[in-house]
Amino acid sequence: MSGPLRALLWWPGVAFVLVLVDPDNVAWTIAVAGVALVALGFLVPVVARKLRPVATAAATRINQAAPTMEIDMPTMEIPAVDPANRAA
């Protein structure tokens, strides 16, 4: 589903809130809200695509510079339980 259509899914909720907030100017505010949501639907994916390579490059740089450390945990032996001395 495209960004503008996904943004328009918010329109009924936004329209409901606008009716509650300002019942006198409902028609034009709902229309403006729809246009704003469609614009956001177009702009958000474009901005996300522009920022994604920068964020990925920065994350790769950080991951490559981070030191790593391995720890070998000591092994433990669990003693055998004698069934005759076992508490009930």
Side-chain angles (χ1 to χ4, degrees):
M1 182 182 299
S2 68
L5 290 178
R6 239 177 315 161
L8 277 177
L9 291 175
W10 287 89
W11 200 9
V14 171
F16 178 74
V17 170
L18 289 173
V19 167
L20 292 176
V21 172
D22 192 12
D24 296 334
N25 298 321
V26 173
W28 72 270
T29 54
I30 291 176
V32 168
V35 170
L37 286 172
V38 170
L40 278 174
F42 276 117
L43 294 176
V44 169
V46 170
V47 171
R49 253 183 267 125
K50 296 277 186 191
L51 293 178
R52 189 171 298 135
V54 173
T56 306
T60 322
R61 218 176 311 117
I62 291 170
N63 287 340
Q64 290 174 352
T68 60
M69 184 171 70
E70 293 182 18
I71 299 174
D72 291 327
M73 297 298 291
T75 56
M76 285 183 48
E77 292 186 23
I78 300 174
V81 177
D82 185 17
N85 295 333
R86 192 170 138 188

